[in-house]
Amino acid sequence: MTIHMSPTRALTTTYYVTQEQLDLIEELKQEQFPLNEIYLAERNGRNFDDIADNLYFEEDYEHAALRYIGGDPTIAFKIKKQLYLLHRIDRKNREVYFSIPNTGNPQHSFYRNDAFTAPLEEIKKWQTPAWKVEKAQYGK
């Protein structure tokens, strides 16, 4: 979350969301009755829980998405960058991940959490024929 001043001197709060979340928020904003759409989400086979879970802030006791849908100009959304990692299967059929520890020397790890993650352009610099590119979590 980023807070900055706009030229009109109103505080703007920026929230970073995935592309899928932003698509859902924008879809709801276009609906005539967006709260009804959220209420009927299960009936329609849609999942709006991801938006509510990621955009709820206890200190504010409100949903940023609902404020945005309602036309609050102080709320903005930006898309998180998709991150990628490199992995391969070893001789024993185990997942192995490309990592760069604090030493700065590339090595492998059996733990996905240790994998080196970066935007696709950076990952391509480290890729060799042995390693496959895979989507990882999102980052700013």
Side-chain angles (χ1 to χ4, degrees), residues 14 19 33-34 44 58 72-73 76 112 114 134:
T14 303
Q19 180 65 55
F33 302 106
N44 296 335
E58 291 181 26
D72 187 341
R112 185 181 178 97
D114 294 340
E134 178 181 312

Side-chain angles (χ1 to χ4, degrees), residues 40-76:
L40 297 174
E42 282 187 26
R43 183 183 297 173
N44 296 335
R46 301 297 307 265
N47 183 9
F48 296 113
D49 290 339
D50 289 340
I51 293 174
D53 289 344
N54 287 334
L55 299 177
Y56 181 72
F57 298 94
E58 291 181 26
E59 67 272 9
D60 294 336
Y61 296 104
E62 58 192 356
H63 291 281
L66 295 178
R67 288 176 47 203
Y68 177 77
I69 290 167
D72 187 341
T74 65
I75 301 293

Side-chain angles (χ1 to χ4, degrees), residues 29-131:
K29 191 170 184 176
Q30 301 306 316
E31 293 290 333
Q32 185 174 1
F33 302 106
L35 294 178
N36 192 46
E37 290 297 319
I38 294 171
Y39 179 74
L40 297 174
E42 282 187 26
R43 183 183 297 173
N44 296 335
R46 301 297 307 265
N47 183 9
F48 296 113
D49 290 339
D50 289 340
I51 293 174
D53 289 344
N54 287 334
L55 299 177
Y56 181 72
F57 298 94
E58 291 181 26
E59 67 272 9
D60 294 336
Y61 296 104
E62 58 192 356
H63 291 281
L66 295 178
R67 288 176 47 203
Y68 177 77
I69 290 167
D72 187 341
T74 65
I75 301 293
F77 291 100
K78 288 190 178 180
I79 298 173
K80 295 178 183 179
K81 289 183 181 177
Q82 175 67 55
L83 298 181
Y84 295 85
L85 57 82
L86 294 171
H87 77 101
R88 64 181 172 86
I89 305 293
D90 71 359
R91 286 179 275 169
K92 296 181 181 178
N93 210 25
R94 298 176 294 190
E95 287 276 340
V96 180
Y97 299 95
F98 178 84
S99 70
I100 302 177
N102 293 342
T103 62
N105 297 322
Q107 62 184 36
H108 70 274
S109 172
F110 294 108
Y111 303 103
R112 185 181 178 97
N113 289 343
D114 294 340
F116 172 69
T117 58
L120 188 58
E121 306 81 46
E122 182 65 22
I123 288 293
K124 293 257 185 207
K125 293 177 188 175
W126 294 95
Q127 186 180 18
T128 65
W131 296 97

Side-chain angles (χ1 to χ4, degrees), residues 13-30:
T13 306
T14 303
Y15 297 93
Y16 291 87
V17 296
T18 64
Q19 180 65 55
E20 294 82 13
Q21 290 170 328
L22 184 60
D23 291 345
L24 282 172
I25 292 168
E26 292 298 335
E27 181 181 327
L28 283 172
K29 191 170 184 176
Q30 301 306 316

